Amino acid sequence: MTEAALEKYSAELTEILELRGVPEEEITQIVREVESHAAESSEDPAFEFGTPSEYADNFAPRFRMIRWWALIVSSSPRRS
């Protein structure tokens, strides 16, 4: 696996966890564990953990992100 692929996976996982409201300290720990495992095994993290979204489901279900988007949409100013 290339370093660029791991960086992309980590960035996507970080973004998804942020959108789902996971605390920053927890995100840092989750991403470090993925990177450490990938470095030790030389395996693609998607092979080991699934897609970033699938892996994020273990820490923060998708409904958190849906509620966040619903809040944004409901608080948007209405156009006449």
Side-chain angles (χ1 to χ4, degrees), residues 53-72:
S53 182
E54 291 168 340
Y55 192 56
D57 288 343
N58 294 304
F59 306 98
R62 294 172 193 250
F63 72 86
R64 286 190 189 175
M65 188 169 67
I66 292 168
R67 285 190 296 174
W68 184 76
W69 280 108
L71 178 62
I72 290 175

Side-chain angles (χ1 to χ4, degrees), residues 16-45:
I16 291 166
L17 291 169
E18 286 172 347
L19 288 172
R20 294 185 189 185
V22 175
E24 187 175 332
E25 302 81 33
E26 191 174 340
I27 293 171
T28 300
Q29 181 178 352
I30 293 165
V31 172
R32 280 185 187 159
E33 289 175 4
V34 167
E35 292 173 343
S36 175
H37 181 78
E40 289 176 12
S41 70
S42 299
E43 291 289 336
D44 183 342

